[in-house]
Amino acid sequence: MSAIATSLLETLAPQIVDISIRAGKAILEVYGQAEIETTLKDNDSPLTQADLAANTIITDALKHLDPAFPILSEESKEIPYEERQSWETFWLVDPLDGTKEFIKRNGEFTVNIALVSQGKPILGVVHAPVLDTTYWGASGLSAFKQVAGAATTPIQVTHAPVSSGTTLNVVASRSHAGKETQDFLDKLTAAGMAIEVVSKGSSLKLCLVAEGTAQLYPRFGPTMEWDTAAAQAVVEHAGGTVSNIDGSPLSYNKPNLLNPYFVVSDASGLNWKAYAN
């Protein structure tokens, strides 16, 4: 059980939504420029002024909101585990998830802000600036979606049972799908299921499962903790699961911040582990 009270999460959630939207506006200022200047990080992944601007807005706002909670961001990942290992509760931030999608200008990138406690994301906000869409979920508060300033609506994963002959909507990465994903889909097809593949960038893939648009998202490729924490909170509090291939939940603040392969699933009861190995 998290040591963070539901009442605190209820207070924090709208504030984190507001911070994510402010960061999104800064991203859109760069997105609208004729040319987007890009540099490479140490791992050869792209970095833009939008990443840096959003990171500054988010980290400054979080420090002001509650300085007691430390912040781990993609742009501050050099914080050593020797320092992090004592963190009971902290913010985990990806100021611009889907930088490749940002550079391609397809709109499928997000701002991700999560509150992690005892290794679990207990509050998560995912904001897609171009789509003007925000997802959020929190322990004890369920999961929600808001589009273009309209009323916030609850979301939940699908619950319909799955069997041979069922059509499965499966999310695949627009930039990172590979052979292992295809093998997984082939096994589902061989079991008699019709597969409809939905392509999407960034953490929006997890949110499609959370809102019931898709039923599965297998990820057989590298991701980092900040890529998944916020959206995992949305999925789990919409009734779904985000699990390692062995079925155990993803955990956070590990010595190595690289995630294992995982599968995001609805509540249909499909035994996806039978097809994942």
Side-chain angles (χ1 to χ4, degrees), residues 7-8 40 60 63 70 77 88-89 91 101 108 111 128 131 142 145 155 162 175 187 189 202 215 254 275:
S7 58
L8 176 58
L40 293 179
D60 287 353
K63 289 174 184 177
K77 55 183 178 290
E88 169 115 355
T89 303
W91 296 107
E101 317 302 336
E108 296 179 358
V111 176
L131 305 178
S142 301
K145 177 182 180 181
I155 58 173
V162 173
S175 299
K187 290 176 183 178
T189 301
S202 71
Q215 291 135 296
K254 305 184 302 297
Y275 310 99

Side-chain angles (χ1 to χ4, degrees), residues 32-33 58 68 74 95 113 130 147 164 180 189 232 241 252:
Q33 296 174 1
I58 294 168
E74 180 176 10
I113 306 175
V130 171
V147 181
S164 180
E180 289 169 299
T189 301
Q232 180 171 341
T241 59
Y252 291 85

Side-chain angles (χ1 to χ4, degrees), residues 140-158:
L141 299 173
S142 301
F144 303 87
K145 177 182 180 181
Q146 184 179 39
V147 181
T152 299
T153 58
I155 58 173
Q156 63 175 349
V157 300
T158 57

Side-chain angles (χ1 to χ4, degrees), residues 258-276:
L258 182 69
N259 287 325
Y261 292 172
F262 62 86
V263 175
V264 183
S265 180
D266 64 5
S268 64
L270 173 67
N271 181 23
W272 55 260
K273 293 186 290 295
Y275 310 99

Side-chain angles (χ1 to χ4, degrees), residues 27 30-31 33-40 44-51 96-109 175:
I27 290 171
V30 180
Y31 191 71
Q33 296 174 1
E35 293 186 13
I36 298 175
E37 294 185 11
T38 304
T39 58
L40 293 179
D44 290 333
S45 62
L47 176 70
T48 72
Q49 285 302 116
D51 297 77
L96 203 172
D97 180 31
T99 302
K100 291 180 180 179
E101 317 302 336
F102 175 84
I103 294 169
K104 293 175 186 176
R105 298 182 190 268
N106 66 16
E108 296 179 358
F109 53 85
S175 299

Side-chain angles (χ1 to χ4, degrees), residues 21 33 81 83 98 131 151 155 160 166 225 252 255:
I21 292 172
Q33 296 174 1
Y81 181 66
E83 179 179 343
L131 305 178
I155 58 173
T166 297
E225 290 189 6
Y252 291 85

Side-chain angles (χ1 to χ4, degrees), residues 45-123:
S45 62
L47 176 70
T48 72
Q49 285 302 116
D51 297 77
L52 299 174
N55 188 67
T56 297
I57 288 170
I58 294 168
T59 55
D60 287 353
L62 292 179
K63 289 174 184 177
H64 178 76
L65 187 63
D66 193 329
F69 295 156
I71 302 167
L72 179 62
S73 168
E74 180 176 10
E75 310 312 329
S76 64
K77 55 183 178 290
E78 68 277 1
I79 298 174
Y81 181 66
E82 289 71 23
E83 179 179 343
R84 293 189 286 109
Q85 65 181 334
S86 63
W87 292 0
E88 169 115 355
T89 303
F90 67 100
W91 296 107
L92 184 54
V93 175
D94 191 343
L96 203 172
D97 180 31
T99 302
K100 291 180 180 179
E101 317 302 336
F102 175 84
I103 294 169
K104 293 175 186 176
R105 298 182 190 268
N106 66 16
E108 296 179 358
F109 53 85
T110 60
V111 176
N112 300 342
I113 306 175
L115 184 64
V116 176
S117 185
Q118 300 177 0
K120 299 178 181 180
I122 58 170
L123 167 64

